[in-house]
């Protein structure tokens, strides 16, 4: 058996063409050119790269981006002030606050200050709650992108046992809620899980979102599973060890080129949707 490659890069590229057409349609209808505001606090090189990739994606689909780069010393109050201004700016359809922010900042308070109709990265408590209840809301971008990828490849979810390793507010928890909403039976593992290998071995669908290189071992994963790796570490290494997997699992995401492009695509797609709703 050779695993189906869940090619996020190719899917994101084809979806960008549709988004470009959607943005053009908005302009022909006399609408505003959608703008995504990006906020980067500090100078972490990886975060700066992620923001630049999102800005580049805006350009490719014909959207504006409004970049706000703030110093490492920024306080919670200063960041809240900036978010308030962007909430009030009629030209801004969506706001991305790049995670993580420096430790002196109350990140949750700042995420929750983003107006719900501009929460295109799906980071607010309200947006999470609505999504978890199955109500209309922008999903957290990484799990939303993963769901789009799974649906595109017709991966069956209903009745399947999904195991999500990681429970962060922007990834593991919303991933679990989205899979539950899709009628999977969901197990969430975290740093206090005592039998991680056994839990992973039960997964029909496995999502690795732990932030540690190859923490999840290939030998734990059962034959025929669908393997989604959200991790990215230098050298193209994910959170899941891939040795021998391609020969025995049903499908897997490449690293890079799997989850990363779909995360950006979900953000851009939700920003266009926000523009369309105006
Ligand atoms: P995070 O906030 O650091 O959360 C990591 C999660 O992993 C936590 O819930 C933690 O459990 C759990 N964990 C840590 N060690 C563990 C262990 N030994 N066994 C089981 N669980 C363990 O990370 P994140 O922001 O969710 O990101 C997760 C991964 O996804 C990272 O590799 C990150 O780079 C990647 N990511 C990718 C994208 C993308 O666009 N591709 C976007 C975002 C994140 P506790 O809750 O108990 O601490």
């Amino acid at each position: 058996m050779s695993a189906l490659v869940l090619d996020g890069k190719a899917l994101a590229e084809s979806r960008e063409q549709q988004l470009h057409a959607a943005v053009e349609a908005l302009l022909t209808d006399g609408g505003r050119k959608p703008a995504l505001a990006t906020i980067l606090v500090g100078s972490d090189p990886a975060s700066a790269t992620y923001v630049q990739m999102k800005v580049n994606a805006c350009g490719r689909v014909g959207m504006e981006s409004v970049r706000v780069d703030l110093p490492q010393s920024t306080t919670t109050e200063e960041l809240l002030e900036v978010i308030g201004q962007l909430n009030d700016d009629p030209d801004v359809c969506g706001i991305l606050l790049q995670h993580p922010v420096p430790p002196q900042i109350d990140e949750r308070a700042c995420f929750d200050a983003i107006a719900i109709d501009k929460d295109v990265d799906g980071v607010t408590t309200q947006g999470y709650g609505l999504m978890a209840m199955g109500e209309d809301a922008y999903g957290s971008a990484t799990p939303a992108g993963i769901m789009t990828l799974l649906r595109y490849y017709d991966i069956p979810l209903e009745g399947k046992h999904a195991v999500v390793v990681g429970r962060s507010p922007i990834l593991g928890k919303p991933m679990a809620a989205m899979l539950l909403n899709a009628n999977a039976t969901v197990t969430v593992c975290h740093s206090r899980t005592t039998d991680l290998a056994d839990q992973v071995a039960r997964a029909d669908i496995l999502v690795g979102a732990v932030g540690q290189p190859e923490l999840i071992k290939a030998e734990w994963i059962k034959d025929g599973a669908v393997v989604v790796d959200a991790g990215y570490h230098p050298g193209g290494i994910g959170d899941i060890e891939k040795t021998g997997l391609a020969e025995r699992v049903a499908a897997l995401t490449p690293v890079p080129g799997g989850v990363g492009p779909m995360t950006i695509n979900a953000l851009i797609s939700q920003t266009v949707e926000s523009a369309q709703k105006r």
Side-chain angles (χ1 to χ4, degrees):
M1 188 171 94
S2 183
L4 173 68
V5 175
L6 306 177
D7 189 342
K9 185 166 181 283
L11 179 56
E13 280 169 7
S14 89
R15 282 171 59 86
E16 278 189 3
Q17 289 176 18
Q18 295 161 20
L19 289 170
H20 193 278
V23 171
E24 289 207 326
L26 274 174
L27 298 179
T28 356
D29 290 348
R32 283 199 194 93
K33 201 170 192 181
L36 172 71
T38 63
I39 309 173
L40 174 65
V41 188
S43 52
D44 173 62
S47 292
T49 303
Y50 292 139
V51 168
Q52 189 58 51
M53 288 165 80
K54 291 163 188 174
V55 167
N56 292 347
C58 283
R60 287 197 298 273
V61 302
M63 280 195 329
E64 299 279 3
S65 43
V66 177
R67 269 195 84 142
V68 181
D69 290 354
L70 299 171
Q72 181 77 20
S73 58
T74 303
T75 63
T76 300
E77 290 67 30
E78 287 164 342
L79 183 50
L80 288 172
E81 174 74 26
V82 168
I83 292 168
Q85 288 164 5
L86 295 170
N87 282 340
D88 293 339
D89 185 337
D91 290 331
V92 169
C93 294
I95 300 171
L96 165 90
L97 170 59
Q98 183 64 40
H99 162 86
V101 294
Q104 77 276 10
I105 292 177
D106 182 343
E107 185 179 73
R108 178 45 47 203
C110 293
F111 276 154
D112 283 340
I114 296 172
I116 186 74
D117 60 322
K118 298 190 181 189
D119 179 25
V120 293
D121 203 29
V123 294
T124 61
T125 303
Q126 189 185 357
Y128 172 84
L130 288 167
M131 178 280 295
M133 292 296 164
E135 300 292 332
D136 194 28
Y138 298 120
S140 179
T142 302
I146 291 171
M147 291 302 285
T148 302
L149 190 61
L150 294 174
R151 290 203 173 103
Y152 175 79
Y153 281 100
D154 282 331
I155 302 294
L157 300 176
E158 185 163 324
K160 299 295 179 185
H161 187 185
V163 175
V164 180
V165 189
R167 58 170 170 182
S168 72
I170 59 160
L171 215 173
K173 277 182 187 161
M175 184 80 258
M178 288 178 199
L179 288 163
L180 187 61
N181 287 347
N183 296 322
T185 303
V186 182
T187 298
V188 183
C189 302
H190 46 79
S191 66
R192 315 295 161 85
T193 299
T194 54
D195 55 349
L196 186 61
D198 291 343
Q199 296 298 335
V200 167
R202 296 166 63 216
D204 300 313
I205 319 271
L206 172 67
V207 181
V210 282
Q212 293 183 38
E214 299 189 341
L215 178 103
I216 299 162
K217 302 302 173 202
E219 65 183 22
W220 302 347
I221 299 168
K222 74 176 178 188
D223 290 358
V226 172
V227 177
V228 176
D229 193 342
Y232 178 74
H233 307 278
I237 293 169
D239 289 351
I240 302 176
E241 183 194 33
K242 304 293 186 322
T243 313
L245 281 187
E247 286 75 46
R248 60 183 191 83
V249 298
L252 84 176
T253 56
V255 177
V259 173
M262 291 308 297
T263 297
I264 295 176
N265 193 260
L267 170 74
I268 301 299
S269 171
Q270 294 186 148
T271 308
V272 173
E273 197 182 322
S274 166
Q276 286 168 329
K277 283 183 180 161
R278 282 164 171 238

